[in-house]
Amino acid sequence: MAELVPDAKLLLRDELSKEYYAILGVVSSYDGWLLIVKGWSVTLSLAALGLGFQQRHFALFALAAVTGAAFWYIDGLMKGYQYRYYVRMREIEYTAYLINRRWTFRAEPSR
């Protein structure tokens, strides 16, 4: 395998860095969306529970349980989408490690 010249390594590191931070932005935005979904879940479930106690209508307790389960399912789906990005992030981190390790060791004078 032909060794990459330092300029090509720097270019590859820059491209990998841009991709990594773009993916990191997507993963971070999922965290914000997950907090919104969890807020909706708590609000809707507590409202159904409160209304169930006030009206003495026990079907609203079931509604609170169903909404909690539905939001839990949505949370799981969104976490699954978020985790799919972690594989690529690990690949980028490992590739950057290999590039930096080879470049660092070759730059040191031999003894």
Side-chain angles (χ1 to χ4, degrees):
M1 179 175 135
E3 287 294 319
L4 294 174
V5 294
D7 292 335
K9 287 182 183 182
L10 290 175
L11 181 63
L12 180 60
R13 284 194 325 192
D14 289 342
E15 292 297 320
L16 287 174
S17 177
K18 288 177 188 175
E19 182 181 0
Y20 184 84
Y21 285 112
I23 292 172
L24 185 63
V26 171
V27 169
S28 297
S29 69
Y30 270 110
D31 287 334
W33 296 334
L34 288 171
L35 284 175
I36 290 171
V37 167
K38 288 174 186 175
W40 288 347
S41 172
V42 169
T43 302
L44 191 57
S45 295
L46 287 178
L49 283 174
L51 194 60
F53 278 118
Q54 181 185 13
Q55 300 295 322
R56 297 190 194 282
H57 198 293
F58 297 111
L60 291 173
F61 295 121
L63 176 65
V66 169
T67 58
F71 280 112
W72 176 75
Y73 178 72
I74 291 171
D75 183 52
L77 284 176
M78 292 180 74
K79 274 291 185 188
Y81 294 139
Q82 186 182 27
Y83 286 148
R84 290 186 182 122
Y85 286 101
Y86 289 158
V87 174
R88 181 60 185 153
M89 289 175 74
R90 276 188 228 113
E91 290 173 352
I92 292 171
E93 289 169 355
Y94 183 68
T95 303
Y97 165 75
L98 291 177
I99 290 170
N100 290 332
R101 186 186 71 169
R102 289 181 186 153
W103 192 36
T104 302
F105 288 143
R106 298 218 192 283
E108 292 178 2
S110 57
R111 296 178 187 187

